[in-house]
Amino acid sequence: MTLNVRISGALGDQVAANVGEDGPYENVSEYVRDLIRRDRQRVDEERFQILKAELKRAFTAPIVSFANPRRSMSLPR
């Protein structure tokens, strides 16, 4: 996939500071790929934290807060 993006002003300065001799990236493509990877990691971490919080609530909930499956489904004992 090829993308063409126009960046100017402060954003352009940010890219220029991070690319080439002055920055840790050899080219703009490398910089953009790293930004995308970091964004993916951030999203994955946010989702993990949400899941972790939900599991923590479930495991710390009192047992009486869970329905008895035999009663709710009217299963024979």
Side-chain angles (χ1 to χ4, degrees):
M1 172 185 263
T2 301
L3 300 173
N4 293 311
V5 180
R6 185 178 305 255
I7 299 175
S8 60
L11 294 177
D13 295 341
Q14 178 74 22
V15 172
N18 283 288
V19 174
E21 292 179 22
D22 297 332
Y25 300 97
E26 290 186 25
N27 55 56
V28 175
S29 293
E30 186 180 302
Y31 181 50
V32 171
R33 282 191 296 270
D34 189 51
L35 290 173
I36 293 169
R37 281 187 206 100
R38 289 178 190 215
D39 187 49
R40 270 190 187 167
Q41 289 173 342
R42 179 190 57 78
V43 169
D44 288 347
E45 179 63 24
E46 286 175 1
R47 289 177 179 162
F48 174 73
Q49 292 302 324
I50 290 168
L51 176 61
K52 187 175 162 183
E54 289 174 3
L55 289 172
K56 184 177 180 181
R57 275 195 307 276
F59 282 108
T60 58
I63 293 174
V64 295
S65 66
F66 295 100
N68 183 339
R70 290 182 184 261
R71 273 194 208 150
S72 63
M73 295 175 62
S74 299
L75 295 176
R77 292 182 184 231

